[in-house]
């Protein structure tokens, strides 16, 4: 993955976001870092300029690099080499990257995160929920892009879109305020309500 973002935004206290348009994928690729108990968890990372990365990492240890599905290796290997942090993904994600730590089927808790599988989406699709902050991290299951709007992953990219919608309804059984996406702008208020309206609509 050769694209490189030039700046990082702190969209909420301890929640950081960077994004860059990918000509190859013809869509914006969004990455996040979330600070939990003084440690950063990096989600679906694309590249960052040296100065931006230094600002992000200067005061924080990286606990893990997290891939929300098998399509999001992006620049994970580069980040792993620079930070010495382990890469984590679902056991079901088929990855080119080697030496990846896996959550086995049935894993519910991991550090401060709740792991929620989203069958029907991309391979190994998961959501990660930090209930203490009412925050959910999504990969491809839902996006919020200026060009394409707020929507569920299209059928042609899903293993089973109807199953994915059922998975999302299970995810939102416990409401949450904030969701951040691997593609697009976060929802910072009543996010689970908006996802329910999207799926039901």
């Amino acid at each position: 993955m050769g694209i490189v973002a030039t700046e990082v935004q702190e969209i909420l206290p301890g929640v950081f976001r960077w994004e860059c348009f990918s000509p190859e994928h013809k869509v914006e690729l969004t990455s996040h870092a979330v600070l939990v108990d003084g440690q950063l968890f990096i989600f679906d990372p694309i590249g960052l300029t040296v100065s931006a990365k230094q600002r992000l990492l200067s005061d924080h240890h990286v606990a893990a690099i997290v891939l929300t599905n098998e399509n999001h290796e992006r620049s994970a290997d580069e980040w792993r080499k620079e930070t010495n942090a382990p890469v984590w993904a679902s056991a079901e994600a088929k990855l080119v990257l080697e030496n990846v730590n896996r959550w086995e089927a049935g894993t519910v808790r991991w550090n401060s995160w709740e792991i929620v599988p989203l069958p029907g989406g991309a391979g190994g699709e998961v959501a990660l929920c930090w209930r203490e902050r009412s925050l959910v991290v999504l990969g491809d299951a839902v996006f919020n892009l200026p060009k394409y709007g707020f929507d569920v992953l299209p059928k042609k990219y899903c293993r089973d879109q109807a199953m994915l919608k059922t998975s999302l309804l299970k995810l939102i059984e416990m409401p949450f305020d904030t969701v951040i996406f691997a593609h697009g702008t976060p929802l910072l208020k009543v996010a689970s309500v908006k996802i329910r309206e999207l799926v039901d609509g």
Side-chain angles (χ1 to χ4, degrees), residues 23-42:
E24 176 186 356
H25 300 90
K26 299 180 181 179
V27 72
E28 288 81 6
L29 306 186
T30 312
S31 302
H32 294 88
V34 180
L35 188 62
V36 183
D37 296 330
Q39 298 190 99
L40 280 176
F41 290 80
I42 309 288

Side-chain angles (χ1 to χ4, degrees), residues 3 8 45 66 91 98-99 118 121 153 158 186 192:
I3 68 170
V8 176
V66 179
E98 297 180 347
N99 301 316
L118 297 175
L153 185 68
C158 290
S192 57

Side-chain angles (χ1 to χ4, degrees), residues 71 119-123 125 140-143 148 151-165 168 199:
N71 298 324
E125 189 86 44
D140 287 340
V142 178
F143 56 84
Y148 301 103
D151 210 346
V152 176
L153 185 68
K155 285 184 178 180
K156 64 180 179 178
Y157 300 119
C158 290
R159 292 186 170 186
D160 184 327
Q161 192 190 58
M163 182 184 293
L164 175 59
K165 289 182 177 181
L168 288 167
V199 174

Side-chain angles (χ1 to χ4, degrees), residues 10-98:
E10 188 170 9
I11 58 174
L12 291 169
V15 181
F16 305 90
R17 175 182 182 272
W18 60 103
E19 182 177 80
C20 190
F21 180 80
S22 169
E24 176 186 356
H25 300 90
K26 299 180 181 179
V27 72
E28 288 81 6
L29 306 186
T30 312
S31 302
H32 294 88
V34 180
L35 188 62
V36 183
D37 296 330
Q39 298 190 99
L40 280 176
F41 290 80
I42 309 288
F43 294 91
D44 300 325
I46 61 171
L48 262 179
T49 59
V50 172
S51 58
K53 189 178 289 185
Q54 286 177 341
R55 287 193 295 272
L56 177 66
L57 301 180
S58 60
D59 297 323
H60 305 118
H61 169 72
V62 178
I65 298 158
V66 179
L67 309 182
T68 56
N69 66 55
E70 66 187 20
N71 298 324
H72 285 179
E73 293 188 34
R74 298 181 173 181
S75 295
D77 195 38
E78 173 189 327
W79 281 81
R80 177 169 64 179
K81 289 174 180 175
E82 292 186 15
T83 64
N84 293 314
V87 177
W88 283 83
S90 166
E92 296 181 359
K94 297 178 180 178
L95 301 170
V96 175
L97 194 62
E98 297 180 347

Side-chain angles (χ1 to χ4, degrees), residues 168-179:
L168 288 167
L169 289 175
K170 290 180 180 177
L171 171 68
I172 62 176
E173 286 177 354
M174 185 176 292
F176 50 87
D177 290 330
T178 304
V179 62

